[in-house]
Amino acid sequence: MRVRALAVRIVNQFLRDKRTLALLFLAPLLILSLMKLVFGGQAISPVIGIIDAPAALTDKFEQLNAEAEIVLYDNYDIAKAALQAGELDAVLQAGSGIPELMLEGSDPSVNRAILLLVQNATRIEGGHNAPVVNYLHGGPDLAPFDAFGPVLIGFFSFFFVFLLAGVSFLRERTSGTLERLLATPIRRSEIVAGYLAGFGIFTLLQATLIAWYSVHVLGLHMAGSIGSMLLINVLLSLTALTLGTLLSSFASSEFQIIQFIPIVIVPQAFFSGLFNLDAMNPWLQKLSLIMPLTYGADAMQGIMLRGEGWSDLQLDVYVLIGFSVLFALMNVVALKKHRRM
Amino acid sequence: MRSMSDVSQICPAIELQDISRAFGKRKVLSGITLTIPKGELFGLLGPSGSGKTTLVKIMTGIDRADSGTVHMLGETMPQLKMLQTFGYMAQSDALYNELTGKQNLAFFGAMFGLKGRALESRIQYAAGLVSLNEHLNVQTSAYSGGMKRRLSLAIALLHEPKLLVLDEPTVGIDPVLRKSIWRELVHLTKQGITIILTTHVMDEAEKCDRLGLIQNGKLIALNTPEAIKLNTGSSTLEDAFIALGERAGERE
Ligand SMILES: Nc1ncnc2c1ncn2[C@@H]1O[C@H](COP(=O)(O)OP(=O)(O)OP(=O)(O)O)[C@@H](O)[C@H]1O
Ligand SMILES: [Mg+2]
């Protein structure tokens, strides 16, 4: 009852603030569109598995002095399994006859690099037997943006909800309304639940709009179901919401909320899959495990590029729910600073 | 012989025992002991920064004393269930500016568990009391200072509290309206509602049943307005407080 009244109040406040609404809904779309227009490729070192490789061919790869790592197999099934597990970027079957190349396919820039390399290697060999190319995921027309678009979708949902939730809760505190609210019999947990419900409505709308726009207007590759995409997006936003309100307890002005962006948001962008982390110290790479965006981005990529279903997503879903619950409980405790009962 | 209900009847509205409060090293309140019986209209006076707001916040459990005890209607404070008992009007108008006056009232009403027709009729009563009926559907950001103050007062009255704690309720409200608000406050105390308010206005202080004067965090006088004037040999409350303030200053 109180939770509902609080949620309704938040909705009403938002409806009055057209600019903030626009920020929440349109800014992610604008930035996604810009990124699609702007983004190019990057340097890559793919791992290629080769089956039945004639010595001449491996020599050719050596000669080309490629950045690629070559792993030799003598059984197609083992190589295919490694490809599915993500250990390989491609498998080249190069016995007698026409070579067959199977690409993992999720990362278009890796695809392009491998295609170029294999074409060069096999051309020197004979000239006319260009390989037959297959894709495990995606296809030849997957663009770079298709690959990191899913990460960006997660990132922007997270970013804008974090900012808005942080600022709203801060205003509640600095305007004195939190003190007045805490002078009513509302429980601390009801305040947190009310915020979750009120923002949850906008979060759901935002997630729907972003998903629809990315797939139907920007034409991002979409292998999975839009329902799972929505689920992940909403969960990610709820994590952002609870984290935003929690951190706003440690800020005393809107400006100090902005200061959390380089500390909390930007590192997550670096760690969540926008950039290749292979070159980083493995110990440092582990940092990504405590970042909610890692799980959101992983799930979004899985859904959109590889069409992953529930069995692949459930771990990410549980971890995101875990983060939200943890942050929400911490919020309830943090409110003790203002009222102990 | 007294029955149980008589015992709860005689519990004072507020009972403070030896309350002290410091912010960091600064002592703001020291050793305040004060009992306010039910149905009293009690006024707290004192220079700016003397600790009036801090004291009323401690009474309601919004702030905590470093030492000393607070009882409200016989219950040890702070307590969650007691928040239903009193209406609090803060010194600053804590309103949701994006919302209309009515939405503000409805929101706080819901916090006190009011709903449906009861909520609607309480909103009409409280808004009527402060003459805001015609402005209920206007966004509060478009309210004047006095209108915000009145809305804030209306919110405190909304859930028919037995105890009203009002921190400078009439600042920025015009004399005509102020008079009618005071008439209503006096009327409420006649129904057994206790009102504790802070004020800087002497003609308001005159209307209180009893006054407490705070200076530098100490309660330096506690009596009816007439007795305070009599004891200091002053013809007006203003002179009485100046005299009391000087005496307290000399003793320190
Ligand atoms: N949260 C706080 N942190 C630090 N100091 C505070 C805090 N709240 C109040 N004070 C200090 O306590 C003293 C008493 O403040 P209080 O607000 O109770 O005064 P007041 O009597 O209500 O004054 P006024 O008539 O101006 O409203 C002031 O000196 C103020 O600076
Ligand atoms: Mg004050």
Side-chain angles (χ1 to χ4, degrees):
Chain A
M1 162 74 183
R2 291 199 189 97
V3 173
R4 205 188 69 194
L6 185 51
V8 168
R9 192 207 84 204
I10 289 170
V11 170
N12 281 330
Q13 282 178 298
F14 253 122
L15 292 179
R16 298 269 174 182
D17 191 352
K18 300 283 183 313
R19 270 213 4 210
T20 306
L21 268 187
L23 175 79
L24 185 66
F25 291 127
L26 300 181
L29 306 190
L30 176 72
I31 296 174
L32 282 170
S33 308
L34 281 177
M35 292 295 262
K36 183 179 163 71
L37 290 176
V38 164
F39 219 84
Q42 62 200 72
I44 300 128
S45 58
V47 185
I48 305 174
I50 304 187
I51 304 157
D52 304 333
L57 182 63
T58 46
D59 287 347
K60 286 284 159 4
F61 273 106
E62 297 271 303
Q63 281 170 20
L64 286 169
N65 199 13
E67 286 277 323
E69 186 187 328
I70 304 294
V71 186
L72 296 178
Y73 289 87
D74 26 60
N75 180 316
Y76 179 76
D77 290 331
I78 298 177
K80 179 90 187 281
L83 185 67
Q84 261 158 351
E87 290 159 22
L88 296 178
D89 294 307
V91 172
L92 180 63
Q93 195 162 21
S96 49
I98 299 172
E100 262 181 58
L101 180 68
M102 166 76 88
L103 290 163
E104 198 274 340
S106 298
D107 190 336
S109 41
V110 172
N111 292 351
R112 234 180 301 129
I114 295 173
L115 278 175
L116 202 66
L117 192 66
V118 171
Q119 269 161 11
N120 283 339
T122 50
R123 183 164 49 229
I124 305 166
E125 182 92 347
H128 50 271
N129 53 349
V132 175
V133 181
N134 293 308
Y135 290 84
L136 187 61
H137 303 296
D141 36 338
L142 199 68
F145 187 70
D146 288 313
F148 64 75
V151 180
L152 284 183
I153 291 173
F155 177 74
F156 289 121
S157 306
F158 192 91
F159 178 68
F160 288 108
V161 171
F162 175 86
L163 216 58
L164 290 186
V167 171
S168 304
F169 204 66
L170 178 95
R171 285 229 187 109
E172 182 99 50
R173 204 154 48 87
T174 52
S175 68
T177 49
L178 182 65
E179 185 183 276
R180 184 151 207 174
L181 187 56
L182 286 171
T184 74
I186 192 170
R187 288 173 188 283
R188 284 180 278 128
S189 54
E190 286 175 318
I191 296 182
V192 176
Y195 258 76
L196 273 172
F199 269 92
I201 294 165
F202 287 100
T203 303
L204 190 65
L205 286 176
Q206 186 209 39
T208 314
L209 184 65
I210 293 183
W212 170 82
Y213 187 83
S214 320
V215 175
H216 294 285
V217 179
L218 294 183
L220 253 70
H221 183 79
M222 177 64 171
S225 85
I226 207 150
S228 358
M229 188 180 161
L230 273 182
L231 172 74
I232 297 294
N233 223 347
V234 167
L235 287 179
L236 198 54
S237 305
L238 290 184
T239 315
L241 165 63
T242 46
L243 183 63
T245 49
L246 181 64
L247 289 183
S248 79
S249 324
F250 303 102
S252 55
S253 66
E254 272 95 342
F255 187 56
Q256 290 192 348
I257 298 267
I258 306 285
Q259 291 165 8
F260 282 123
I261 295 174
I263 296 167
V264 176
I265 303 289
V266 175
Q268 294 207 67
F270 281 112
F271 278 86
S272 63
L274 273 188
F275 303 95
N276 203 316
L277 292 185
D278 291 346
M280 190 186 271
N281 181 331
W283 198 82
L284 274 178
Q285 282 181 32
K286 290 237 160 46
L287 270 180
S288 69
L289 294 180
I290 57 161
M291 299 183 178
L293 203 53
T294 305
Y295 302 91
D298 176 64
M300 291 296 259
Q301 276 191 315
I303 295 163
M304 296 185 72
L305 294 175
R306 296 185 284 276
E308 284 176 3
W310 175 247
S311 57
D312 299 300
L313 296 177
Q314 56 175 337
L315 179 70
D316 291 320
V317 168
Y318 293 145
V319 172
L320 286 177
I321 292 176
F323 272 121
S324 299
V325 171
L326 176 72
F327 294 147
L329 290 178
M330 286 167 80
N331 260 308
V332 176
V333 175
L335 278 172
K336 272 197 166 177
K337 205 165 86 180
H338 305 285
R339 191 181 76 187
R340 291 203 215 167
M341 42 192 170
Chain B
M1 240 185 64
R2 282 204 188 106
S3 71
M4 278 303 286
S5 67
D6 282 340
V7 173
S8 82
Q9 281 292 305
I10 60 153
C11 277
I14 290 284
E15 203 173 2
L16 302 178
Q17 268 300 328
D18 207 18
I19 294 293
S20 295
R21 177 76 165 105
F23 291 109
K25 283 212 176 92
R26 251 201 91 216
K27 245 185 152 185
V28 173
L29 293 175
S30 44
I32 296 207
T33 299
L34 173 64
T35 303
I36 300 169
K38 276 187 192 156
E40 187 167 76
L41 179 49
F42 185 85
L44 265 177
L45 288 99
S48 183
S50 56
K52 301 182 294 296
T53 298
T54 311
L55 188 63
V56 296
K57 278 188 186 172
I58 288 173
M59 286 178 188
T60 53
I62 293 167
D63 193 11
R64 277 199 166 212
D66 299 323
S67 65
T69 58
V70 183
H71 290 264
M72 182 185 284
L73 300 164
E75 302 272 358
T76 313
M77 296 290 281
Q79 243 188 87
L80 190 63
K81 71 164 191 204
M82 295 311 285
L83 294 171
Q84 184 75 36
T85 317
F86 65 87
Y88 172 64
M89 176 184 179
Q91 186 166 3
S92 61
D93 310 303
L95 302 168
Y96 296 102
N97 284 322
E98 301 90 346
L99 303 184
T100 63
K102 186 157 188 179
Q103 284 172 330
N104 268 290
L105 285 162
F107 172 68
F108 281 105
M111 292 302 111
F112 286 102
L114 289 170
K115 54 186 157 189
R117 244 194 254 141
L119 177 63
E120 184 59 32
S121 79
R122 286 305 299 174
I123 288 178
Q124 291 311 326
Y125 162 79
L129 203 100
V130 294
S131 310
L132 272 182
N133 297 74
E134 284 141 50
H135 310 281
L136 276 186
N137 292 319
V138 178
Q139 209 177 327
T140 13
S141 55
Y143 275 19
S144 72
M147 286 162 83
K148 286 184 185 165
R149 203 79 202 116
R150 276 141 62 195
L151 180 60
S152 196
L153 178 59
I155 290 170
L157 295 166
L158 205 53
H159 64 291
E160 298 182 83
K162 288 186 213 133
L163 173 64
L164 273 173
V165 179
L166 312 173
D167 200 352
E168 301 195 21
T170 54
V171 171
I173 297 181
D174 68 74
V176 177
L177 209 52
R178 208 164 67 183
K179 206 162 180 180
S180 79
I181 288 173
W182 264 91
R183 209 179 305 129
E184 190 60 32
L185 291 182
V186 171
H187 180 69
L188 286 173
T189 56
K190 296 235 169 75
Q191 298 169 358
I193 288 167
T194 315
I195 300 179
I196 297 166
L197 53 83
T198 70
T199 181
H200 286 292
V201 185
M202 286 306 148
D203 71 327
E204 289 188 358
E206 294 268 12
K207 294 191 191 111
C208 293
D209 296 328
R210 247 174 4 131
L211 296 172
L213 179 65
I214 299 190
Q215 186 163 305
N216 293 329
K218 293 200 182 72
L219 194 62
I220 60 167
L222 179 65
N223 221 325
T224 60
E226 288 68 36
I228 285 176
K229 278 187 280 189
L230 205 68
N231 292 348
T232 50
S234 321
S235 56
T236 64
L237 262 183
E238 204 145 23
D239 293 339
F241 281 138
I242 291 167
L244 279 168
E246 279 166 1
R247 258 189 245 168
E250 278 160 26
R251 248 179 280 140
E252 262 167 28

